[in-house]
Amino acid sequence: MTGLPTGGAASGGAGSESPDAATHDPRRHERRARAALTRVLEPGDERAGQWLADLGPVELLRRLTSPAYRHDTLPGAGDQRTRALRALAARADPAHDLATVASHGGRFVIPGDPEWPSQLDDLGPARPIGLWVRGGPDLRRWALRSVALVGARSCTPYGAHTATTLAAGLAEHGWVVVSGAAYGIDGAAHRGALAAGGATIAVLACGTDVAYPRGHAELLGRIVRQGLVIGELPPGAHPTRSRFVLRNRVIAALTRGTVVIEAAHRSGSLVTARAAQRMGRHTMGVPGPVTSAYSGGVHQLLRGGAVLVTDAPDVIELVGTIGDDLAPDRRGPVLPRDLLDPECAQLLEAMPGRATDTTARDLAHALGTPVDAALARLYELHSLGFVERHDDRWRLTARPARHADTRRGGA
């Protein structure tokens, strides 16, 4: 598997394991313990998360690496699992992992750091042990104004175009686009944000120095230079099917809302959206053709309470500040007859079809108005080009009026 190119300005995070950084990091023992535990515990393991909460990372690691084995080392864990975790802990080398990410311009961010996005705490026991981060920007600040765009890997041209356009629109309005760097919708979303000169975060299900998928090595390199690449797994770690699914909970928790652009009924993107719903985040979907299997999951999501969106202003109105980020009021083109006052419009509707004459008296009788009133409205419609006069009879003009200066109620 191809590694990512070294690059991206380090932000001076406390995770850098240079001698100076290690000396001046007041949380170096906890940081090293958490870094080691990312080698031992799988992402999203709620039982392990409870051990972390009850024992703390330093004590948990001490129990896993203590020479003396005890069957009650981990509360509620069986002998087989305890031995397996101890074997992994024995091979962990946190100092090496921290030095590796630092050599790539990265850092290891843990709960309690100024850069830690506190919204991840909504995951409870499934909260990440820590996040391996590459790229210069501050993760916490970027996450405060971020939106997730997710969808099918095997997307249609419609889906790719929609994702690119939507991401570019969000980026142009100062929003950070978050996705999983996979083929299809994810890649289109990242490219759209980058093309607009905007901000984007890739959340990986592997080490941040591993390019996965291989075909996105160049894209991930661009994201490192222009945005952020983050993940729960230590350097060199490879993805698995379960890690992809569990990665989605981080995308959902990190952002203000999740937009699903294309997804089949069993798509992993729906896992992200449902996780967002459970945490009270905004959940949105972009509708597609009813004949497309790639839109079936999105339409199901919309029926289940997600909000239909079609472009960046729709999304921003939902996730932005109430009253400050309203989407424009969309309506069809204004036609000249839309500008007529109600009486003229009513008389125009009463006119017979084209090439058929009528009189003011007949129109007045049909509308229940005085003849003089009907005649006045006919002359007004005549001046605006809607009707023609032939002696004492009237008919619709051969072509509809196209006057740009049509006014309400008056010639």
Side-chain angles (χ1 to χ4, degrees):
M1 200 170 292
T2 305
L4 291 182
T6 301
S11 69
S16 300
E17 273 294 292
S18 64
D20 289 341
T23 301
H24 294 95
D25 180 7
R27 308 182 67 204
R28 61 184 179 276
H29 296 302
E30 180 183 356
R31 195 175 311 279
R32 283 199 178 201
R34 286 183 177 273
L37 290 170
T38 63
R39 287 278 179 196
V40 179
L41 307 174
E42 279 295 306
D45 185 334
E46 294 193 12
R47 173 65 65 83
Q50 196 60 55
W51 294 334
L52 273 170
D54 294 342
L55 304 173
V58 175
E59 172 61 18
L60 178 57
L61 183 63
R62 188 194 68 77
R63 292 192 180 197
L64 289 171
T65 55
S66 173
Y69 172 75
R70 293 180 49 172
H71 70 278
D72 59 348
T73 296
L74 301 176
D79 182 74
Q80 184 176 358
R81 186 180 187 193
T82 300
R83 291 184 182 279
L85 294 178
R86 283 174 59 84
L88 292 172
R91 296 195 294 270
D93 187 354
H96 178 267
D97 287 338
L98 290 166
T100 298
V101 75
S103 71
H104 290 159
R107 55 210 179 269
F108 183 56
V109 179
I110 63 174
D113 281 347
E115 195 180 358
W116 179 258
S118 58
Q119 59 267 41
L120 292 177
D121 299 342
D122 292 347
L123 290 168
R127 180 182 71 173
I129 299 168
L131 288 173
W132 301 88
V133 180
R134 292 186 62 195
D138 183 280
L139 174 60
R140 179 180 177 276
R141 291 182 181 178
W142 271 28
L144 288 174
R145 192 174 169 85
S146 65
V147 177
L149 299 188
V150 297
R153 286 178 172 82
S154 301
C155 66
T156 67
Y158 160 80
H161 172 77
T162 302
T164 301
T165 304
L166 184 55
L170 289 168
E172 288 168 354
H173 285 83
W175 285 82
V176 179
V177 174
V178 179
S179 199
Y183 289 132
I185 296 298
D186 288 14
H190 289 306
R191 290 189 180 94
L194 292 170
T200 188
I201 300 174
V203 184
L204 305 187
C206 55
T208 56
D209 60 336
V210 176
Y212 189 90
R214 188 188 299 268
H216 276 177
E218 181 180 354
L219 173 62
L220 286 164
R222 289 179 61 199
I223 296 174
V224 167
R225 293 188 293 272
Q226 190 170 321
L228 289 169
V229 173
I230 70 173
E232 298 178 77
L233 293 161
H238 295 282
T240 63
R241 182 181 296 274
S242 63
R243 288 172 175 176
F244 280 119
V245 174
L246 291 164
R247 177 271 311 273
N248 294 340
R249 83 194 194 288
V250 177
I251 295 176
L254 190 67
T255 54
R256 298 277 290 273
T258 294
V259 183
V260 183
I261 295 174
E262 277 190 329
H265 286 286
R266 292 177 56 84
S267 171
S269 303
L270 300 180
V271 175
T272 310
R274 288 166 184 148
Q277 285 180 326
R278 287 194 298 272
M279 289 183 285
R281 306 293 196 268
H282 296 290
T283 308
M284 296 152 277
V286 177
V290 295
T291 54
S292 172
Y294 292 109
S295 296
V298 180
H299 296 162
Q300 181 185 32
L301 192 68
L302 291 171
R303 293 184 64 190
V307 178
L308 187 151
V309 295
T310 59
D311 57 15
D314 282 351
V315 176
I316 295 169
E317 180 178 22
L318 194 63
V319 302
T321 304
I322 295 176
D324 292 340
D325 298 299
L326 298 179
D329 186 20
R330 295 174 176 82
R331 56 183 66 188
V334 178
L335 301 176
R337 67 188 303 152
D338 296 333
L339 303 177
L340 295 172
D341 65 25
E343 290 80 7
C344 282
Q346 186 181 26
L347 188 142
L348 189 61
E349 289 293 330
M351 292 288 294
R354 300 191 190 284
T356 302
D357 295 339
T358 188
T359 65
R361 184 176 300 278
D362 291 338
L363 288 170
H365 178 73
L367 295 173
T369 61
V371 175
D372 289 346
L375 194 60
R377 295 306 179 193
L378 283 168
Y379 276 112
E380 186 172 343
L381 291 170
H382 179 264
S383 69
L384 295 173
F386 288 98
V387 298
E388 300 173 353
R389 180 184 178 189
H390 299 275
D391 297 327
D392 62 342
R393 303 187 69 82
W394 302 82
R395 71 169 61 175
L396 294 172
T397 54
R399 294 183 180 181
R402 296 183 180 273
H403 301 294
D405 60 347
T406 302
R407 295 167 291 175
R408 284 187 187 274

